[in-house]
Amino acid sequence: EKCSECGLENRSFLSRYKGLLAGLILIFLFLGVPFLLFLGFLGSIGSQIEYEEDTSAVISGYGDDKIALLNLSGIIVDAEPITGFASFSEELVSAKRVKRVLNEIEQDGKVKAVLIKVNSPGGSAAASEDIYRDILDFKARTKKKVVVYFSDMAASGGYYVAMGGDGIV
């Protein structure tokens, strides 16, 4: 529709720039999406390397009396992450890693007790159940005391995991 005073065509914003918008959408689809997927891939590699290097708990003490500290900080997941978007901003607690660390603690005959520090908003119900069961199995096999310490947050799966301990602080 034309303006009666100046004779110029009066078009809406969308009709004026629809070609530009379509071009930007296509550029994003062809360049942006693969780039975001690539970043996710890099994040998954970084978090897998972190888990592979972090295979032991902190063990402190002298002689025959030691205490192991197992730090469970972050979102509870079943396995090491496959996609890494969450690993850029969040720590993750892997149920498989927790089982591996508990087995390492069990092998050290000088460890008398385990302190588990929980700082988690929860996560996977299945992974929380696995960690809970692993703690119960660990206690049954080793007869070692397990005390759970709540840090900043212990909600949902974090609280569920703590129920496997002998006490909560």
Side-chain angles (χ1 to χ4, degrees):
E1 146 185 12
K2 288 188 176 186
C3 175
S4 61
E5 293 180 19
C6 64
L8 294 176
E9 197 172 305
N10 186 10
R11 297 186 326 186
S12 69
F13 175 82
L14 187 59
S15 65
R16 273 192 231 156
Y17 296 106
K18 68 181 174 184
L20 178 63
L21 290 173
L24 289 174
I25 290 171
L26 286 174
I27 289 171
F28 176 75
L29 289 176
F30 287 111
L31 297 177
V33 171
F35 181 72
L36 289 175
L37 292 173
F38 177 71
L39 286 178
F41 174 74
L42 288 179
S44 69
I45 290 172
S47 58
Q48 287 172 353
I49 291 169
E50 178 181 318
Y51 279 104
E52 290 170 4
E53 290 175 357
D54 186 14
T55 58
S56 63
V58 175
I59 298 175
S60 178
Y62 299 99
D64 292 335
D65 297 323
K66 295 182 179 181
I67 293 176
L69 170 63
L70 180 54
N71 189 6
L72 305 182
S73 292
I75 298 170
I76 300 171
V77 296
D78 185 42
E80 281 82 7
I82 295 171
T83 57
F85 287 116
S87 66
F88 285 122
S89 61
E90 301 286 340
E91 293 181 30
L92 300 174
V93 175
S94 164
K96 293 186 186 308
R97 178 187 159 271
V98 170
K99 183 174 190 148
R100 186 171 60 239
V101 171
L102 286 173
N103 287 334
E104 287 179 11
I105 293 170
E106 183 177 356
Q107 301 305 312
D108 189 338
K110 295 181 179 182
V111 173
K112 302 301 181 200
V114 178
L115 176 62
I116 300 177
K117 180 181 176 186
V118 175
N119 182 16
S120 174
S124 164
S128 300
E129 168 75 15
D130 289 345
I131 295 171
Y132 167 78
R133 293 283 174 201
D134 289 339
I135 293 170
L136 291 179
D137 292 345
F138 173 83
K139 288 182 353 181
R141 284 191 316 268
T142 64
K143 307 296 185 224
K144 296 178 183 181
K145 293 290 183 186
V146 175
V147 177
V148 180
Y149 162 68
F150 286 162
S151 183
D152 294 335
M153 182 185 327
S156 184
Y159 197 83
Y160 187 15
V161 165
M163 295 293 96
D166 293 305
I168 298 173
V169 178

